[in-house]
Amino acid sequence: MGHSIKRKEDVRFIQGKGHYVDDIQLPGMLHMDIVRSPYAYAKIKSINTEEALKIPGVIAVVTGRDLEKYNLHWMPTLMSDTQMVLPTDTVMYQAQEVAAVIATDRYAARDGKEAVMVEYEPMKPVIDPYKALDPEAPVLRTDKEGKKDNHIWHWEVGDRDATEKLFSEAEVVVREQMHIPRIHVASIETCGCVADYDKVNNHLTMYMTTQAPHAIRTVIALVAGHVGLTEEKVRVVSPDIGGGFGGKVPVYPGYVIAIAVSFLVGKPVKWVEDRSENLQADSFARDYHITAEMAGTKDGKILGTRFKILADHGYTDAAANPSKFPTGMFSIGTGSYDYQTAFMEADAVYTNKPPGGVAYRCSFRVTEAVHAIERITDRFAFEIGKDPAELRMQNFIKKEDFPWKSPTGWEYDSGDYHAGLKKAMEAVGYEELRKEQAGKRKRGELMGIGISTFTEIVGAGPSKDFDILGIKMFDSAEIRVHPTGKAIARFGTKSQGQGHETTYAQIIAEELGIPAEHIQVEEGDTDTAPYGLGTYASRSTPTAGAAAAVAARKLRDKARKIAAYLLEVSEDDLEWEPGKFFVKGAPEKAKTIQEIVFAAYTNHPQGMEAGFEATHYYDPPNLTFPSGAYICVVDIDKDTGEIKVRRFVAIDDCGNIINPMIVQGQVHGGLTQGIAPAMYEELIYDEDGNILNGTFMDYLVPTAVESPNWETGHTVTPSPHHPIGAKGVGESPTVGAPPAIANAIVDALSPYGITHLDIPITPYKVWKALREKGVN
Amino acid sequence: MEEQLYIPGAASINLIKMKTTIEKNFQVDEPIDKVWEYLSDPARIVTCVPGASLTDTIDEDNYKGEVSLKFGPVKAKYNGQITFQERDKENYRMQLLGKGLDSKGKGSADMLMNGILVEKDGQTDVTCTMEVTITGMLAQFGSRLINDVSGSVFDQFVDNFRAKLAGQEVDNTLSAGSVIKGMFGKK
């Protein structure tokens, strides 16, 4: 623990020896390509496959009518809504799957796709989520009996009346309307699968890009059990994954069609999306319209917050949240501040856009919540003329007040927010920067300093509240130590680049004293790994990492018994130091873990079970609450609106650190994915539902060129309830960075009375805002 | 809808309109009745639209035709119907609606054209407005180009129309080259 050992998985990755879904080649494998809708909302009048079937190599074209015969044309979403696999009558968003072409090679499949003639009758789509609620708006989900509007659900938390009273009486109330833009995870590897159904043995092997292979196996069995694919007949394998970020949690229609076709023709079927399909049709993230309000006193005491959300879910609710939390963990949005009055409510609507709402490097809507609270906190500071750092210091929950109960029902486990912000301010040279800014303002130059001091909520989650489709959100570890003292460990999670093969080995090494290089970590094969809910929302270390520690401790207990037997002493007379047990007061009388394990196979005490293995399913008692203090400094060109991020200091507190190098790598990647929505990324639709940036030419993913020099550091406040005191870090930077950048830009523009700009804040938005304020 | 449903303060979001409206005014040195005759004759007017041709006559007001367009790698061929929604000879006003579906089911394009003629010192003053709406693949790939390309197509239409009135042969084939060149000012 705490050592920056090199990532074990990189040996294969840096040599190009990773093994991804598209690397899989099976004998007789067929290829699938998907015909997609050019319209956001249209009736399908006819699908003519004649020309497509004439193309050499094309063997079939599958439509919704074909799937309907097997009752496979609709499927459930993770949020218990329904989603089309292939449409029979109506398409609901641009790029929706319309038909699948099956061919003997990928080129023929693509040619076949071009030759399928679909006749549509376009209809006027609902694109604006506000207009979706108009009484005269067309009802989109006519498939749902009795559905009379486009409203999906209402959610609320907190005390509505107390909050209303507070806001009507408060000295200071600030309010901003903000949009957290619809964005895409845009992982390097797109989604895909190879469905391999073996007719003789009635067995399906599904190789697929999934972050949650076990849950997928159960879902396949639940959906296809009626045609004989019961759970023991299904094996899901998730090979190496080139980035997931939440986008590889949902079940996409392509997977289901591939399974159906393989089942029908008895041959393996490969489907891999191209870049535009991935960007245009796969689950989006965010897209919350938030009215954020804060109430407080003139001298800077925050008294309460109120958030109202309109959530644009596209044509179905295919978000990936725990069942009981339609807005995910948005209720963490009261932030790092000590007040007890809050109310939040949300309404979700259907529109003619792709479905989604995935937890993009985010523990279920935490990014949206953190942006709202951190932006409105700065707005409040601006209103009363107080330095935003000073305001935060004044309102932080104090270190000694943990565990702290939030007004929305969470119990924050631990934190030291004052220490984090102090460290960030020292690192960036806050006082000096404010002096520099004052000088520049006199000269009319634009410089801004933005702060974000966020509290995260990760590690879903305790079984009393957390499940997905009824399956509790525990996670698991199984450790098997071989006679020679080397181990294999398997997990219910699935790395997509997080470095599990290294960090899990380090946890076990710490607990058992077996060197990390002799612990092989495996995930992603449901035939071998223990059941778990997968990797997303920074849950792997808090759940499976904890399971690894507890399973290792079970083995240590067994080791103690064997050592006592071998050394002929009482268990109570033994002491442990990593790697060996020794007799108290006689350190030369010792048995190493390797000697003990060997004995477990060759000379174990009579009556004791032979072998040396343990499994643990860890059900966390609480979530973990990582935090961070980020400070961003920007310079803005008044004439062009160009924004330069001059400095970015990120101080994270993720509890005890397993591998500092991996944490730093996670923070660098996460910050870059944080600058993305803050300055560049947004999926834009026109009023007809055309996506206007459906390729990487127009959808701007930041590259090394756009990334500033990230200055990282940490404070350590261990989680009191996690076995090794760790909290999780993968998503903190993605969650914390956008408001720091937005706050810095708005701070730079504040002398002109600009109090808010929606992200992504582009040079044009800045330029336009300045012109509107009369700056020429 | 549940009673507690909250509709936030903002009435709507700003959506980009993939609709382009162009207005052009030009004079031709021909009598108004001759200009009207040409403008209201589908066989003549359609052949002035770059890339367009008539394929069938349904009735006096309705025709079938096709338009081919090429934007870099994206080729589109729209089959559609052309309808004279208004042909008011008294006031020299006409309105033409073209609705096209991509022949491969990749999208659609609609065009609404209004033409008004006014006599001025023996010359004819022509005011044309054109509203173009594009959906599908072309809207995605060409979103930033639609305005400029539509403008360029319209300029070509005006040139062709003048030429036709002057009794010249009109070549209305449209190439990506001509559109792109027009956009970058290498006329």
Side-chain angles (χ1 to χ4, degrees), chain A residues 134-374:
Chain A
D134 282 352
E136 61 268 26
V139 178
L140 298 180
R141 295 298 302 270
T142 48
D143 58 290
K144 292 182 176 230
E145 215 172 298
K147 188 84 186 132
K148 291 194 182 69
D149 55 40
N150 296 314
H151 186 239
I152 313 176
W153 43 253
H154 175 85
W155 164 91
E156 60 180 57
V157 68
D159 189 331
R160 182 193 290 266
D161 296 338
T163 308
E164 231 158 67
K165 186 166 182 292
L166 171 75
F167 273 80
S168 65
E169 293 166 358
E171 278 177 11
V172 185
V173 172
V174 288
R175 172 189 171 130
E176 288 294 348
Q177 176 72 30
M178 37 185 102
H179 182 217
I180 316 300
R182 181 176 274 245
I183 54 173
H184 198 279
V185 301
S187 50
I188 285 183
E189 181 199 30
T190 62
C191 292
C193 67
V194 179
D196 182 16
Y197 178 68
D198 172 354
K199 266 191 175 168
V200 175
N201 295 303
N202 181 31
H203 184 274
L204 173 73
T205 306
M206 182 67 178
Y207 305 91
M208 67 187 280
T209 48
T210 179
Q211 299 175 226
H214 299 273
I216 296 288
R217 184 187 69 195
T218 303
V219 170
I220 292 173
L222 289 174
V223 173
H226 68 285
V227 292
L229 282 176
T230 46
E231 200 161 357
E232 86 284 11
K233 298 289 188 189
V234 180
R235 174 185 174 209
V236 176
V237 180
S238 190
D240 282 330
I241 292 188
F245 310 117
K248 287 171 181 162
V249 172
V251 176
Y252 295 116
Y255 298 138
V256 181
I257 307 167
I259 293 173
V261 174
S262 182
F263 186 76
L264 292 175
V265 302
K267 285 188 172 182
V269 175
K270 181 189 272 189
W271 166 67
V272 177
E273 297 169 327
D274 70 20
R275 176 56 60 194
S276 286
E277 291 179 296
N278 179 260
L279 192 59
Q280 296 179 19
D282 284 4
S283 293
F284 69 91
R286 326 285 191 239
D287 212 353
Y288 266 22
H289 297 265
I290 304 173
T291 312
E293 293 173 287
M294 180 174 271
T297 65
K298 281 180 196 158
D299 64 358
K301 177 78 192 107
I302 299 171
L303 296 176
T305 47
R306 182 160 61 182
F307 297 141
K308 296 180 177 188
I309 304 156
L310 181 68
D312 184 345
H313 274 258
Y315 96 91
T316 182
D317 185 2
N321 293 320
S323 304
K324 286 183 195 161
F325 300 88
T327 59
M329 310 289 103
F330 187 88
S331 51
I332 193 67
T334 56
S336 312
Y337 313 110
D338 189 7
Y339 61 90
Q340 282 301 328
T341 310
F343 181 68
M344 303 173 181
E345 63 182 324
D347 289 285
V349 296
Y350 291 126
T351 60
N352 288 111
K353 290 180 203 160
V358 294
Y360 172 10
R361 206 166 182 160
C362 162
S363 185
F364 316 115
R365 306 292 191 182
V366 175
T367 311
E368 291 89 322
V370 164
H371 199 79
I373 181 69
E374 288 306 300

Side-chain angles (χ1 to χ4, degrees), chain A residues 38-39 94 114 117-118 120 127-131 133 149 151 154 280 289 291 308 345 347 684-688 690-692 695 697-698, chain B residues 1-2 4-13 15-19 101 103-108 133-136 139-141 143-144:
Chain A
Y39 298 105
Q94 190 178 61
E114 296 296 324
M117 302 290 176
V118 186
Y120 298 95
I127 302 301
D128 182 336
Y130 291 98
K131 292 200 176 131
L133 294 173
D149 55 40
H151 186 239
H154 175 85
Q280 296 179 19
H289 297 265
T291 312
K308 296 180 177 188
E345 63 182 324
D347 289 285
I684 302 169
Y685 292 83
D686 72 9
E687 62 174 8
D688 292 317
N690 296 307
I691 181 166
L692 299 184
T695 73
M697 190 169 75
D698 299 301
Chain B
M1 205 176 290
E2 285 104 307
Q4 69 267 40
L5 176 62
Y6 171 74
I7 301 174
S12 66
I13 57 173
L15 284 173
I16 293 169
K17 290 181 175 56
M18 209 58 249
K19 188 183 280 181
L101 285 175
S103 59
K104 284 192 167 178
K106 303 280 183 289
S108 65
T133 311
I134 288 175
T135 311
Q140 278 184 19
F141 286 99
S143 63
R144 289 157 305 163

Side-chain angles (χ1 to χ4, degrees), chain B residues 45-53 68 156 160 170-175:
Chain B
I45 180 128
V46 169
T47 51
C48 291
V49 177
S53 62
S68 300
Q156 286 183 44
N160 290 344
V170 168
D171 175 15
N172 76 334
T173 51
L174 177 104
S175 69

Side-chain angles (χ1 to χ4, degrees), chain A residues 360-488:
Chain A
Y360 172 10
R361 206 166 182 160
C362 162
S363 185
F364 316 115
R365 306 292 191 182
V366 175
T367 311
E368 291 89 322
V370 164
H371 199 79
I373 181 69
E374 288 306 300
R375 215 34 299 284
I376 203 67
T377 300
D378 255 44
R379 177 72 186 81
F380 180 64
F382 176 77
E383 188 73 15
I384 60 170
K386 197 161 203 163
D387 183 281
E390 196 188 330
L391 181 97
R392 284 174 166 83
M393 286 292 196
Q394 180 185 350
N395 287 284
F396 277 147
I397 300 156
K398 293 183 190 71
K399 187 183 170 184
E400 56 272 23
D401 290 341
F402 289 92
W404 183 83
K405 279 212 172 6
S406 92
T408 53
W410 301 113
E411 186 179 289
Y412 292 15
D413 59 351
S414 63
D416 187 350
Y417 303 148
H418 291 90
L421 181 54
K422 189 163 171 280
K423 190 165 181 178
M425 288 169 76
E426 282 166 5
V428 82
Y430 191 79
E431 300 303 326
E432 285 308 306
L433 285 168
R434 284 290 177 202
K435 278 180 203 151
E436 182 194 340
Q437 184 187 38
K440 288 202 157 164
R441 280 187 177 168
K442 277 186 196 145
R443 298 194 297 274
E445 291 170 37
L446 303 180
M447 168 190 166
I449 305 157
I451 302 173
S452 161
T453 46
F454 60 92
T455 293
E456 258 269 55
I457 176 167
V458 305
S463 60
K464 75 179 163 54
D465 290 324
F466 288 85
D467 71 271
I468 286 181
L469 293 174
I471 301 164
K472 301 296 187 183
M473 294 182 74
F474 55 80
D475 225 297
S476 60
E478 177 204 277
I479 306 168
R480 195 178 288 181
V481 189
H482 308 313
T484 52
K486 319 291 191 248
I488 183 163

Side-chain angles (χ1 to χ4, degrees), chain A residues 9-31:
Chain A
E9 43 271 78
D10 285 348
V11 173
R12 66 176 186 279
F13 290 146
I14 60 174
Q15 295 183 73
K17 299 290 182 194
H19 192 65
Y20 300 89
V21 159
D22 209 7
D23 293 322
I24 294 169
Q25 299 294 342
L26 298 177
M29 188 170 75
L30 301 173
H31 295 262

